[in-house]
Amino acid sequence: MALELPALPYALDALAPHINAQTLEIHHGKHHQAYVTNGNKLIEGTEFAAMKVEDIIKATAGKADKAGIFNNAAQVWNHTFYWHSMKPGGGGKPTGAIAAKIDADLGGYDKFAQEFAQAGATQFGSGWAWLVLENGKLAIKKTPNAENPMTAGAKPLITMDVWEHAYYLDFQNRRPDYMKAFLDHLVNWDFANQNLG
Ligand code: MN3
């Protein structure tokens, strides 16, 4: 089967008290797992069964008759990318190449943080906020549902899940508080630097 549930890159309680173990247990073990299970059912016996998840996403994007496959495959990829976009003891100002690039392309960390949080806050309903590389420059994007900026040619560097299931147990309706915790305590700048490299 082409779609797989990867292990979390840290323990279930490693992001507490910002994102607690119960949230990660359900988000990874139930939500992420369901996208894997449902996606595999849909691609079984099709041309997509032997493809890499990125290739499934690109091949099905924008095709109404392939929406089920796209949604599940993209959600599998997005969640794996999201787990790596956070780390215990992360957050705060970046270092390395991504820091210089944020200064050069986005007007500095404070402006980045404001605009990234704004993208998350203004994504109506379910979706994702992204830091991407697009035409050699950093950009901030938001996407609805399972959509991923890679289908428009951008390279994701960091993502933040703003579906309610990502934060409801820890923050209830307070999406801005979850986004602040993500930026101040969780975001994994090492991963952004790797992706930028
Ligand atoms: Mn999610």
Side-chain angles (χ1 to χ4, degrees):
M1 285 297 191
L3 303 177
E4 289 179 356
L5 185 73
L8 282 175
Y10 31 72
L12 286 174
D13 61 357
L15 304 183
H18 312 292
I19 294 177
N20 286 298
Q22 190 188 13
T23 296
L24 282 186
E25 191 175 13
I26 295 170
H27 199 176
H28 176 259
K30 304 292 184 191
H31 290 277
H32 196 176
Q33 177 68 66
Y35 297 124
V36 171
T37 303
N38 294 333
N40 279 332
K41 277 184 199 155
L42 290 170
I43 64 175
E44 193 177 359
T46 74
E47 67 196 284
F48 303 108
M51 289 167 68
K52 287 197 304 184
V53 61
E54 292 87 351
D55 295 330
I56 299 173
I57 292 167
K58 288 172 185 169
T60 56
K63 294 182 179 164
D65 63 329
K66 299 287 190 294
I69 294 175
F70 174 82
N71 285 335
N72 284 284
Q75 285 292 78
V76 169
W77 193 96
N78 294 352
H79 281 89
T80 300
F81 200 76
Y82 170 64
W83 307 134
H84 288 276
S85 293
M86 302 184 286
K87 68 171 188 177
K93 292 188 177 179
T95 56
I98 194 73
K101 196 115 178 85
I102 285 174
D103 287 345
D105 296 347
L106 298 176
Y109 176 78
D110 291 344
K111 194 153 175 282
F112 153 79
Q114 190 179 22
E115 290 183 9
F116 188 80
Q118 180 73 4
T122 57
Q123 175 50 50
F124 185 77
S126 298
W128 301 82
W130 304 85
L131 176 64
V132 303
L133 189 65
E134 187 176 50
N135 300 320
K137 288 204 158 193
L138 296 186
I140 292 163
K141 304 281 182 188
K142 58 181 177 179
T143 60
N145 303 318
E147 296 289 333
N148 184 307
M150 76 165 72
T151 64
K155 183 181 187 192
L157 303 176
I158 286 286
T159 195
M160 177 174 68
D161 190 342
V162 295
W163 286 57
E164 278 190 346
H165 66 224
Y167 60 85
Y168 211 82
L169 292 174
D170 298 308
F171 297 95
Q172 294 79 50
N173 60 315
R174 293 175 285 115
R175 188 189 285 189
D177 291 352
Y178 157 70
M179 297 189 304
K180 182 169 168 47
F182 180 95
L183 285 169
D184 291 352
H185 302 288
L186 298 173
V187 61
N188 183 355
W189 291 119
D190 300 333
F191 185 59
N193 273 314
Q194 281 173 36
N195 293 324
L196 188 60

